[in-house]
Amino acid sequence: MMQMLHAGGVPCAGDWPDFETNDSMSGRFDAKAFSALRGKAIKLITPADLPIGPMPRHVVIWLDRDPQEQAKSQLKMLYGIGAPVANNRKSMRVFVAGLRRDRPLNMAAAGVGRLPNLRLSFEGLITRPANSVSALEAFLLSHGYDTVDRRAMQQQTRPRSAACYPGMMEVELFNSPSFERQSSQPGRPGTF
């Protein structure tokens, strides 16, 4: 999603390809710094863990994912970085239960239902990118963005199954020849 927004011309906090910053992570989140990023797309992984505070002029794009596939992805990532977690059925059940429990808390913390929001599914983004890009473009244009590069957004998806990717795509992208070109591409100004 962040790659799509960046390619489409939305200024984004963080760097391509993951757009994760210390400013948006649990334990380091600063509500004043967050507020100062007005006009940029900010990736929040677990908003319920962050002291976000009031968000009177923000818009929210909620990207949902099947809890089973999200749990597989999280376990894969933790296993890949050497975290002490077993990648088995019991861990899967615990992670899926946690994701289901935390989903409404995260949605509420991000302002879904209270602020202008667009809800998309990760699965739809991967398997039907044209539909997701159409919804995303309409949402951005209706919330003060003057232009959006629809074609560039759609080119960010990689044809594949929506099932948990077997590798570590961000790591693969960091090592790709297009990394330098993508990471230096400036976003266009606008209000978001």
Side-chain angles (χ1 to χ4, degrees), residues 60-157:
V60 177
I61 299 170
W62 178 264
L63 186 60
D64 221 347
R65 189 170 187 186
D66 174 80
Q68 288 284 126
E69 295 302 321
Q70 189 173 359
K72 286 179 194 174
S73 180
Q74 289 177 342
L75 284 166
K76 174 189 68 175
M77 182 190 67
L78 290 170
Y79 183 78
I81 63 171
V85 63
N87 195 352
N88 57 31
R89 279 189 261 183
K90 182 178 179 185
S91 292
M92 274 293 292
R93 282 193 304 273
V94 168
F95 271 64
V96 169
L99 289 165
R100 287 188 173 136
R101 179 194 65 235
D102 294 345
R103 181 179 182 272
L105 300 172
N106 284 314
M107 290 179 81
V112 175
R114 172 171 56 81
L115 297 171
N117 65 88
L118 172 66
R119 299 179 201 185
L120 295 172
S121 77
F122 176 84
E123 292 77 16
L125 190 83
I126 299 298
T127 60
R128 296 177 307 282
N131 294 353
S132 296
V133 167
S134 291
L136 186 56
E137 178 185 38
F139 181 75
L140 292 171
L141 293 174
S142 71
H143 287 92
Y145 224 79
D146 296 334
T147 59
V148 177
D149 190 338
R150 170 190 189 88
R151 190 176 140 275
M153 284 195 298
Q154 192 160 337
Q155 288 176 338
Q156 298 307 302
T157 60

